[in-house]
Amino acid sequence: MALSVHTLPLCRFLVPRPQPTRSQGAPSPRLPLSSAPAPCRHKNQEDNHSYYVSRLYGPSEPRSRQLWVDVAEANRSQVKIHTILSNTHRQASRVVLSFDFPFYGHLLRQITIATGGFIFMGDVIHRMLTATQYVAPLMANFNPGYSDNSTVVYFDNGTVFVVQWDHVYLQGWEDRGSFTFQAALHRDGRIVFGYKEIPMSVPEISSSQHPVKTGLSDAFMILNPSPDVPESRRRSIFEYHRIELDPSKITSMSAVEFTPLPTCLQHRSCDACMSSDLSFNCSWCHVLQRCSSGFDRYRQEWMDYGCAQEAEGRTCEDFQDEYHNSASPDTSFSPYDGDLTTTSSSLFIDSLTTEDDTKSNPYAGGDGLQNNLSPKTKGTPVHLGTIVGIVLAVLLVAAIILAGIYINGHPTSNAALFFIERRPHHWPAMKFRSHPDHSTYAEVEPSGHEKEGFMEAEQC
């Protein structure tokens, strides 16, 4: 299955504009030294980004130190050093959170930590994690494997999840010194970037081998028929929002705090949705029992069920009149159920279990479930041949899964090499169009040797 990334022109990239400079011919007024203004990088700066409000704290502000989570003083049972990420370059690994973290209004339980100074927040793992759906305190070409002192640490106490890139070096720029920074995901949805050691100006970091980004991003995925293989689907990822911070503001002992703003997804009833005063133009979809602007991670379902057309000219009273004829709550999606079918199958997209995820999604056809769950079919006897077919199908799927697990654990075996060589032509593998500004990442398993002075990480 092919995969491409697009950026929607739904918002401007919110980077603070530089202030106009005084012309060379106009002399600037001289101020006494005692009344000279402080550098603007020390000034608290606040910006509204529709989904989040960001606040930048300079090195001289006490708040920047208060936001820093001292992992060294935390409960050691809650701190884990990821040994593989601490010893490799351009690798990523999935970690399960102990709480549901709201990201752009979507509750997430799994995130993917990357060595390149960012967290991938998407459901489908692919090799171009730097494109979108990220939390990036400082995305760059970091190589934790360069030094024994470099580690990727994460901490989870049930209230906050912290990832710290500790004493990591830029590939090819090792002589500039080590970086230490962290990203904290708070249970209430706040995101905090803390910077302890930034030895060089961030705008000087080269993006020729790896993107350099600081900020947040989210996207939705659309399934379209593939022109090459009509029976398969092609994934296209559309980035609907991005926050870009000014890299010149990222300095040692500075911090950035993102506070989430309300979204349409928080409304659980038609009345609350339609009376919402948010700027997202919320609409209620009675079939899905969901409030949305149409631009979130559930856009595929919003389109398949015709929610945009359903909401035109309708009121909550109209929906209530049709309540008894609508789908039962058991067959509808809640705002945080929509990705469950893709999450389970996307965990192994680089193994032999790679298949079109929509085959396991009964909603992909666009006709809904009402016709398939008609009461007339509940009492129909099952033919013996149907039972035999189901058993054979289960055995076949089990064999494929076992083969995938074996090949995933033995990547150098003849079977693994056989399928890797032929997958681009015969398998519906997810691919990105080549782009010189993006780097590829490989997902790793949490096993490896420990670095001196640190305990070995537990299973991620």
Side-chain angles (χ1 to χ4, degrees), residues 25 99-100 117 124 169 173 184 192 207 210 248 257 271 274 276 299 306 311 335 353 370 376-377 437 440:
F99 56 90
D100 292 325
V124 179
Y169 292 82
W173 295 62
V192 176
S207 59
H210 191 290
S248 65
E257 182 178 24
D271 292 332
M274 301 299 285
S276 173
R299 181 166 176 79
T353 56
Q370 296 182 8
K376 297 179 181 179
T377 62
D437 293 335
T440 59

Side-chain angles (χ1 to χ4, degrees), residues 204-280:
E204 295 181 21
I205 301 176
S206 173
S207 59
S208 60
Q209 300 298 322
H210 191 290
V212 179
K213 302 178 183 179
T214 56
L216 311 177
S217 167
D218 199 24
F220 57 79
M221 184 176 295
I222 297 296
L223 300 176
N224 297 312
S226 175
D228 301 328
V229 186
E231 64 272 12
S232 66
R233 296 284 189 100
R234 177 171 133 184
R235 296 180 181 272
S236 297
I237 296 180
F238 292 84
E239 182 181 63
Y240 66 89
H241 191 264
R242 179 189 295 186
I243 299 174
E244 287 185 340
L245 300 177
D246 186 350
S248 65
K249 306 292 185 179
I250 306 303
T251 60
S252 298
M253 301 310 299
S254 64
V256 181
E257 182 178 24
F258 298 91
T259 303
L261 296 173
T263 66
C264 299
L265 292 175
Q266 71 179 12
H267 299 306
R268 302 302 182 91
S269 67
C270 179
D271 292 332
C273 180
M274 301 299 285
S275 61
S276 173
D277 58 355
L278 301 178
S279 59
F280 293 112

Side-chain angles (χ1 to χ4, degrees), residues 51 104 106 218-221 240 264-265 290-300 302:
Y51 290 88
Y104 279 89
H106 307 90
D218 199 24
F220 57 79
M221 184 176 295
Y240 66 89
C264 299
L265 292 175
R290 181 182 302 152
C291 183
S292 174
S293 64
F295 291 97
D296 51 47
R297 294 193 179 190
Y298 308 117
R299 181 166 176 79
Q300 180 73 58
W302 193 263

